[in-house]
Amino acid sequence: MIITMRSTQSCHLFLLSLLGVLLVGCIYLGYTSSWISVNVELEELTLYSSVKEKEQHKTKNILLPQTILYKQPSVLNGRKDVITVTPWLAPVVWEETFDKTLIDAIYKMQNITVATTVFALGKYVQFLKDFLESAERHYLQGYRVHYYIFTDQPEAIPMVTLGANRNLTTLKIPGSSRWQEITLRRMEKLEKLIDTQMINEVDYIFSLDVDTKFYGHWGAETLGDIVAVIHPGYYSTPRDEFPYERRPESQAYIPQGMGDYYYGGAVIGGLVEEVHKLAKTCRMQLDVDKANSIEAAWQEESHLNKYFLYNKPSKILSPEYLWQDFKSKTDDIKIIRFSQVIKNYAEVRPNP
């Protein structure tokens, strides 16, 4: 008998009581697990039963103020130069595919909080000032945002003036002599942070790379159950040329002929419980690889792509939301919103 419940505290208590009665009864009567099998994921139950009762922020309940005015949408005219919906019917967000006024009218009613995690270790801390200052100009303006900065140098965190309802928490973690190790540990740190405090504090979460900068509007159009971004280096590349992990020995293995898009690890987002599920799954797969002395081709990004192959994103952000400063803007990129800055890797990384 499989019991899965993500409900209120009373249901949680009822379930635990029921489980206790079943276990005591089984012991008393001498029954074995071959007669009764109770499989309750207690860890997930504890996590989800404590989630705030905010069903209105789910996209299935899209509410709108009666007084809002916006341009009539068309079923005939729109972007025809790019794909705007995936084969599994997830939207792909590009300029001219959403109405900012309409989106804000919907999401600002929901009183949401968005966590944003950033890892700034070693010499990468130098990118944090531009990241935060540009975020305060462009990122989720008008919404409650809580930055969580993972760093080995709390004293180097820059003083940046934050807007109303914007907060920053510094979390000290050890550095590393290998940049690969830093990326390999991010899923573990993200999972633990959600477990310990985020589940009761935020509704959505984005994990963003620190060596990036905001150049344009990044708003509530990016919110969804589980959100991925298309990597700017591979959005016009055949999937057999994607840099997936191709070794069957790795938990991140994707065979030739499979795959949808190549997703960038610099942007991961969604509902906090969905991102927790993603982080936990990737962390477990990373642990298996480590035990077998395997490191995937692109560390956590390889495992992320494996996860999204079998757990399809509910929303995909176009390369507008993850560009690269050294790349020229193409015709299909009408606006660059978020981009990786130019840097000398030999100078900022602790190892080649």
Side-chain angles (χ1 to χ4, degrees):
M1 164 171 112
I2 299 177
I3 302 174
T4 303
M5 184 176 296
R6 300 173 183 174
S7 185
T8 61
Q9 184 177 10
S10 60
C11 291
H12 183 192
L13 293 173
F14 170 77
L15 179 57
L16 292 177
S17 299
L18 176 60
L19 179 60
V21 171
L22 287 172
L23 292 176
V24 171
C26 290
I27 294 171
Y28 178 77
L29 296 174
Y31 292 146
T32 66
S33 60
S34 62
W35 186 74
I36 293 180
S37 176
V38 180
N39 180 12
V40 180
E41 298 179 4
L42 289 176
E43 181 180 349
E44 295 298 317
L45 179 63
T46 302
L47 173 66
Y48 295 125
S49 64
S50 63
V51 177
K52 295 176 292 184
E53 298 179 35
K54 286 189 175 181
E55 291 299 321
Q56 70 271 24
H57 73 264
K58 300 290 182 66
T59 53
K60 59 188 175 184
N61 293 323
I62 300 176
L63 305 178
L64 185 69
Q66 294 183 7
T67 57
I68 190 70
L69 297 177
Y70 55 94
K71 184 179 179 180
Q72 178 184 350
S74 172
V75 297
L76 300 177
N77 299 313
R79 293 288 295 265
K80 295 180 173 63
D81 57 332
V82 293
I83 184 174
T84 58
V85 64
T86 70
W88 59 92
L89 301 181
V92 184
V93 185
W94 299 83
E95 178 72 357
E96 299 179 7
T97 63
F98 64 93
D99 186 315
K100 179 181 179 297
T101 300
L102 178 58
I103 292 292
D104 280 342
I106 293 168
Y107 280 93
K108 286 188 177 179
M109 292 178 62
Q110 299 174 16
N111 199 30
I112 60 175
T113 298
V114 183
T116 304
T117 63
V118 181
F119 287 75
L121 290 100
K123 294 183 179 180
Y124 275 76
V125 74
Q126 67 186 277
F127 302 112
L128 191 55
K129 188 173 189 295
D130 277 350
F131 175 92
L132 289 171
E133 288 182 345
S134 64
E136 286 302 292
R137 291 192 297 271
H138 301 293
Y139 178 65
L140 288 166
Q141 293 301 298
Y143 294 88
R144 292 205 306 270
V145 172
H146 195 146
Y147 301 103
Y148 293 85
I149 311 299
F150 290 92
T151 184
D152 56 344
Q153 306 163 71
E155 69 284 353
I157 301 299
M159 295 295 294
V160 174
T161 301
L162 303 180
N165 297 315
R166 320 274 282 197
N167 299 289
L168 188 150
T169 297
T170 300
L171 303 167
K172 186 174 183 180
I173 60 174
S176 176
S177 60
R178 295 182 68 243
W179 66 265
Q180 296 93 338
E181 184 66 25
I182 294 171
T183 63
L184 287 167
R185 286 162 39 200
R186 291 203 298 183
M187 290 297 184
E188 174 192 357
K189 298 299 182 185
L190 188 56
E191 177 192 0
K192 288 183 178 178
L193 180 61
I194 294 174
D195 275 336
T196 55
Q197 62 186 99
M198 276 190 183
I199 202 65
N200 293 314
E201 294 182 355
V202 304
D203 304 288
Y204 293 90
I205 178 174
F206 277 106
S207 177
L208 304 176
D209 274 5
V210 68
D211 53 337
T212 49
K213 190 174 179 179
F214 293 88
Y215 292 101
H217 168 82
W218 174 310
E221 76 279 355
T222 61
L223 301 177
D225 288 359
I226 189 69
V227 181
V229 66
I230 296 176
H231 194 292
Y234 303 98
Y235 73 100
S236 60
T237 304
R239 64 183 176 188
D240 280 346
E241 297 178 19
F242 290 161
Y244 289 151
E245 173 54 63
R246 300 298 189 182
R247 293 172 295 174
E249 297 82 9
S250 173
Q251 295 294 303
Y253 169 62
I254 297 178
Q256 292 286 340
M258 295 186 66
D260 302 311
Y261 309 103
Y262 189 79
Y263 302 107
V267 176
I268 306 168
L271 290 170
V272 66
E273 58 264 34
E274 291 298 326
V275 175
H276 178 269
K277 188 187 304 180
L278 178 154
K280 179 180 179 181
T281 302
C282 290
R283 188 267 304 164
M284 293 172 65
Q285 293 178 345
L286 286 159
D287 286 349
V288 173
D289 270 7
K290 184 176 182 179
N292 293 323
S293 301
I294 298 173
E295 186 174 290
W298 289 102
Q299 294 81 39
E300 68 164 24
E301 189 172 81
S302 296
H303 290 272
L304 179 72
N305 274 274
K306 173 68 174 292
Y307 183 88
F308 281 141
L309 175 60
Y310 297 104
N311 303 269
K312 304 296 190 191
S314 63
K315 180 176 286 186
I316 293 178
L317 306 181
S318 72
E320 295 172 3
Y321 294 86
L322 182 61
W323 199 243
Q324 295 166 317
D325 280 358
F326 64 82
K327 292 173 66 72
S328 299
K329 188 160 72 72
T330 57
D331 292 339
D332 43 18
I333 303 296
K334 298 182 181 296
I335 179 174
I336 296 173
R337 306 178 188 278
F338 187 60
S339 184
Q340 295 175 316
V341 301
I342 296 173
K343 52 197 164 293
N344 185 335
Y345 285 110
E347 290 182 358
V348 298
R349 285 179 171 175
N351 63 295

